[in-house]
Amino acid sequence: MAVLSTDRLIFSLSDNLEIEACTYKYSPESRLKHMGKHKPGINICLRSSDNQWSVVLKIIKHYQEEGQGSEVVQGVLLGLVVEDRLEITNCFPFPQHTEDDVDFDEVQYQMEMMRSLRHVNIDHLHVGWYQSTYYGSFVSRALLDSQFSYQHAIEESVVLIYDPIKTAQGSLCLKAYRLTPKLMEICKEKDFSPEGLKKACIGYEHMFEEVPIVIKNSHLINVLLLDLQEKSTVADKHELLNLSSSNHLEKSLQLLMDRMDDMSQDIGKYNTYCRNLSKQQQQKQQYLQRRQQENAQRQSRGEPPLPEEDISKMFKPPQAPARMDTLLIAGQINNYCQNIKEFTSQNLGKLFMAEALQGHNS
Amino acid sequence: MSRFFATGSDSESEESSSADEITPKATGTTFNKNKEAFTPNLILCCPLRFRFEELTNIIKTIRNAMKIRDMSKCLEEFEQLYRAFLKSKTIVDKEGVPQFYIRLLADLEDYLNQLWEDKEGKKKMNKNNAKALSTLRQKIRKYNKDFETEIASYKENPEQSAEEEEKDDIGSASSKSDDDDDEGITAKSLMKKKPQEEEKKAPEASKFLKGAADEESESDDDEDSEDWGSDSVDSGGESEDNEGAAASLAVVFLKKAQDGDKQHEPKKDGRRKRHKKIEQVEEEVDEDGEAEEGGWEKVKGGVPLVKEKPKMFAKGTEINSAVVIKKLTEILQARGKKGTDRAAQIELLHALSGISNENNLGQGILVKIKFNIIASLYDYNTNLAAFMKPEMWKKCLECIDELLDILFENNNIFIGENIAEDSENLAISDQPFRVRGCILTLVERMDEEFTKIMQNTDPHSQEYVDNLKDEGRVCGIIDRLLQYLESKGSTEEVCRIYLRRIMHTYYKFDYKAHRRSLGLQGETKSEQDQEESEGEDSAIIMDRLCKFIYAKDRTDRIRTCAILCHIYHHALHSRWYQARDLMLMSHLQDNIQHADPPVQILYNRTMVQLGICAFRQGMIKDAHNALLDIQSSGRAKELLGQGLLMRNMQERNAEQEKIEKRRQVPFHMHINLELLECVYLVSAMLLEIPYMAAHEFDARRRMISKQFHHQLRVGERQPLLGPPESMREHVVAASKAMKMGDWRTCHSFIINEKMNSKVWDLFPETQCVREMLVRKIQEESLRTYLFTYSSVYDSISMETLSEMFELELPTVHSIISKMIINEELMASLDQPTQTVVMHRTEPTSLQNMALQLAEKLGGLVENNERVFDLKQGVYGGYFNRDQKGGYQQKQNYQRDQKGGYQQKQNYQRGGYRNQNQSSY
């Protein structure tokens, strides 16, 4: 297994030698600021997830080899919990498999992989999974479900989202997410009705919590990286300064618009539901009033009151649309917006810089 | 000798019983029949029988008289009998003394003797009676001596009776008879008393008397039956020859010679036999009758007419018009009846026409017969849906031709539907002939049958071509009829025949006129001659005929058809403006949906032809509009009546299918569907591609042609794109090239060998159309290019453009000017440098996207507000202030965004903002 052998290679390289990740292309200092920041109200003391460059490189490699366009690659993260940090020391990908080979058993494959890794004395504890993303579109039902099952089984598991497009633009984009305890509860109860969500008081902002990442490397890897930096061409280096923005923005807008359409559709559905509900409430009210009046009349005439009927049977509330999808869409929209904002602010900076440069030249 | 022997010979009894057949009530009406039998000629033909009849009659009266003891009457009758017997002496000699005569003599003698002995009775008798009794007694005694042997033998047989005794008795009776004269007792009472006395005196005698009485009654019966028998023989004799009668008479005699006892059985047997015979005979008669009746019936049915054909009229009958007419009506009566052999009828009518021709019966009858021949030719096929056999139809064609010949030769024949049968004048030649019948209808029917034949012939066979050759003859006939009706017919009829003429003209392209208009002369002399002889252009004919119809017609349908045909003809000959104006003036587009299907089909054909005409003239938009309706439905084939679409049976049952099949247009009139589709797609391409380029980012862009888009999509869906094969693929490939502004490729896709052979060569002016197309492609490609790439340019030199698209500079100039005027292109022309300066006001794709997003956001917010309103409305204080505030903040934010957007708009330059502000 090619992947395995390289893993071993990298592993041997990164063997316990810890050095701080130095500036590489885009300053990770900003990220380092996040380190040590306590999230209030979270029970699990996950201060940070310690990432290793070997893991990052492997994920990138995996995407470069298998992922294309909007296709998504996934894999398993391995590591261990150290004090209040989650250290991710290794990973392996899920193989891409088509519908044809039904024999393939993912779980067995994972177990097999982990066993093999243990044999070569690598951390083999399952601590989460990773996924690539296309223009930041990852907030979906599938992710929610699988992350929920992970988190349910292994409390400290995280999901790493790798955005290859942004990375290609010159800034490594890797984010770790966990479901908030609130969402966990809701998922446990499987109550996605409007009332349930209202009671849980959850909004799209409170669905995922981002866990800060610190990337640490062995010295050997740092050496390798520096060497690679030396070798890279000028064009590669200045990818960061690329001024063209419309393409990326257009794509993002397109995706945003799609989500918007979904959103308005959902709202429309919810709207009709609300209207139906209120109409029925009115009817119910009317019915009850009539019944009361009648009973009052009967009482005055000395007759026994009408028997109580099961009102909930007579007025079956309309099927409420599941609100979780709407929530997810909202989360996704938020995500897109963040992305776009980030992108535009960076670009704006670049544009000003370019303008200044031009002014300086002339 | 029994009757069995006599009846043994079949022929006789058959005949007699067959005679019975005719008068089956003979038994009941014996007497009348007898009277009838005494007709003089019968006496002449059978004296013997008459004599015997006479005798038996007399005997009867004698017996009657005996019963009432009327002696004088008895005497009288006896003398008569005696004379009659003498008269028939010759026969009696020949035949021997008849039995009944003998019996009477014997009986009478006995009776007289009896009376004679009855003294008291004698006393009671009146004088006359007694006297008569004695004389009779003496006479009979004397007379009986001649027949002694016979009487003796007779008496021996039935009863023993002593002759002597009897004689004595008679003698005494006669002696006493005078004494009893005065007694006024009725004979009847005497009769009653007498047997009593006799019983006392002589039991034997009483026995005898009884026997006699029995005998009497029997003989009465016998006589009845004899009468009946003889009667039957009589009536048989009426029809049969004398020999048979004699034989049967003999039978009767023989029968009568039999004894009383024996007579019963044979009679019964005879009757039984007779019944059987009757049955038999009846059967035979039936058979005969069937043969005969069959013959008779089939006269009606028509088969024997064939047999009779050679002698349609009896030999020697003087054939005059009356007879022929009678025969004609006779034949015609069979028309439409079941079992009529229609083929035979046609032949018969032909024969009749031949006869009338031979005998010079005049044209009137001939015309009448011809009419009927044609009618029965049409009748040949009972099913309206089925088509006539071409041979039959050709016969019909000939007939009509001949009829027209006659009509043209003879000016004095009036024909018309409204001439009543009885007011017809077929024979009298001094007056003008009047014949009922409508030649126009016949010709129309003939034409329809022609259409049907064409519909039912395989269009790709030689047969079709052969059949199509007859179209010339049809046209010829219609032309001739047209001439005829122009001089004689009513305007209505003229309109109808004009329409027929139009229907045969409108779809044909007039190559001669076309060539003439191009200024080409016929290559050879003969062709020139032909051209000259051809007469006027079809356009002129159409014009004349149609205008007549417009002016004179009173039925809407004919006018509608004429207009449509006229338009079609104009369009076919590329007279676009005339065609279009006529179409617009007629306002047919508004009310065509109320017309019947054939007219609608004609309308569709006309519209299609109009569209194709517009295309040829380079009016792409008009062409597209005209063809849109037909093509967009995807049922062009059906709408043009050029074939049925495959549909499941639920939508259409067999009946409907038949009807629809009948509506189909014959193949030679078809409009090429591929040409139609190609014209439509190409015109759609020329319109749609620049439009698409111009409105690339317009969210609410509507497509001009759905079908074209469909084709494009089909093209896109192809996983592997090879070089185009079909016409559609060519157009799609061309469209793709045009999208890039690559007119050369587009041109090569639209106009090439394949497309030429498939489509463009079908036009009469192929070259012109191709030139027009190239030019259109260049122009539209230029427009597309400018739309697509204007954002890339700051300015373009018009010269470069004209070089790129191989268009003249003025053309480029005009196209760009037009685009600028229409605000399609945000640019200005820089005259001195001959360049187009772009203004760059079109929003970029990102801006477009942002606009769309803003729009969607607006919708989203609106939706959200609605939800919120609902919540607020129902649960007034449900939300706390904070949330409300939050919402309001959101709104504010929204407003800010809007402001931002407006600012952005302001940033843009004038033209675009003005254009778009209206939508916000």
Side-chain angles (χ1 to χ4, degrees), chain A residues 198 246 249-250 253-254 256-257 260-261 263-264 267 270-271 274-275 278, chain B residues 845-846 849-850 852-853 856-857 860 863-864 866-867 870-871 874-875 878:
Chain A
K198 207 184 282 163
S246 60
L249 269 180
E250 266 172 42
L253 276 180
Q254 193 71 55
L256 181 58
M257 245 146 61
M260 294 285 286
D261 285 343
M263 185 64 148
S264 49
I267 287 179
Y270 186 62
N271 204 0
C274 285
R275 223 168 323 141
S278 70
Chain B
S845 64
L846 182 63
M849 201 88 81
Q852 278 180 39
L853 183 64
K856 278 185 181 162
L857 267 175
L860 190 67
N863 267 341
N864 227 357
R866 223 175 283 152
V867 173
L870 205 68
K871 293 226 155 173
V874 180
Y875 310 106
Y878 189 81

Side-chain angles (χ1 to χ4, degrees), chain A residues 34-248:
Chain A
H34 292 290
M35 220 174 86
K37 191 173 161 192
H38 283 267
K39 289 245 166 177
I42 301 172
N43 298 337
I44 320 163
C45 233
L46 260 188
R47 224 168 53 174
S48 69
S49 80
D50 252 1
N51 242 344
Q52 295 209 325
W53 272 106
S54 67
V55 176
V56 177
L57 288 176
K58 267 197 249 182
I59 293 169
I60 292 169
K61 189 167 181 284
H62 181 202
Y63 177 79
Q64 294 297 347
E65 277 170 357
E66 292 189 40
Q68 259 151 25
S70 55
E71 250 177 88
V72 164
V73 295
Q74 292 174 324
V76 176
L77 298 175
L78 301 171
L80 66 163
V81 181
V82 180
E83 293 165 14
D84 56 352
R85 287 173 302 157
L86 176 72
E87 286 190 5
I88 302 167
T89 52
N90 211 338
C91 70
F92 63 87
F94 286 142
Q96 297 277 33
H97 65 95
T98 49
E99 301 285 319
D100 299 338
D101 38 13
V102 277
D103 304 334
F104 183 77
D105 189 352
E106 250 177 38
V107 180
Q108 208 190 343
Y109 171 78
Q110 282 183 30
M111 301 313 278
E112 200 69 26
M113 261 323 258
M114 286 194 281
R115 202 172 300 131
S116 309
L117 286 171
R118 194 172 60 185
H119 287 172
V120 291
N121 202 16
I122 301 174
D123 291 334
H124 57 269
L125 290 175
H126 207 159
V127 293
W129 57 298
Y130 69 87
Q131 191 192 29
S132 72
T133 174
Y134 179 69
Y135 284 106
S137 57
F138 61 88
V139 186
S140 68
R141 194 61 187 261
L143 181 118
L144 178 71
D145 286 347
S146 49
Q147 179 57 25
F148 169 71
S149 59
Y150 267 105
Q151 229 165 303
H152 194 63
I154 308 156
E155 213 187 332
E156 60 274 0
S157 37
V158 291
V159 55
L160 270 184
I161 304 292
Y162 162 66
D163 190 339
I165 290 157
K166 256 196 198 163
T167 310
Q169 278 167 351
S171 54
L172 176 70
C173 182
L174 199 64
K175 281 174 183 171
Y177 288 100
R178 279 172 58 82
L179 300 185
T180 56
K182 261 189 198 171
L183 193 61
M184 282 299 288
E185 272 169 42
I186 293 165
C187 285
K188 255 179 228 165
E189 283 161 24
K190 300 223 176 293
D191 178 19
F192 300 129
S193 65
E195 280 76 28
L197 291 183
K198 207 184 282 163
K199 203 168 70 193
C201 226
I202 194 158
Y204 65 89
E205 309 95 329
H206 312 306
M207 286 169 75
F208 295 94
E209 55 178 350
E210 197 181 337
V211 183
I213 300 173
V214 177
I215 304 173
K216 281 187 180 172
N217 266 348
S218 67
H219 298 295
L220 273 175
I221 290 217
N222 278 342
V223 171
L224 175 73
L225 288 174
L226 285 168
D227 189 38
L228 282 173
Q229 198 178 9
E230 281 294 309
K231 282 179 186 166
S232 63
T233 55
V234 181
D236 283 344
K237 275 183 206 164
H238 298 300
E239 186 68 27
L240 184 65
L241 296 174
N242 194 351
L243 287 176
S244 84
S245 60
S246 60
N247 200 15
H248 186 259

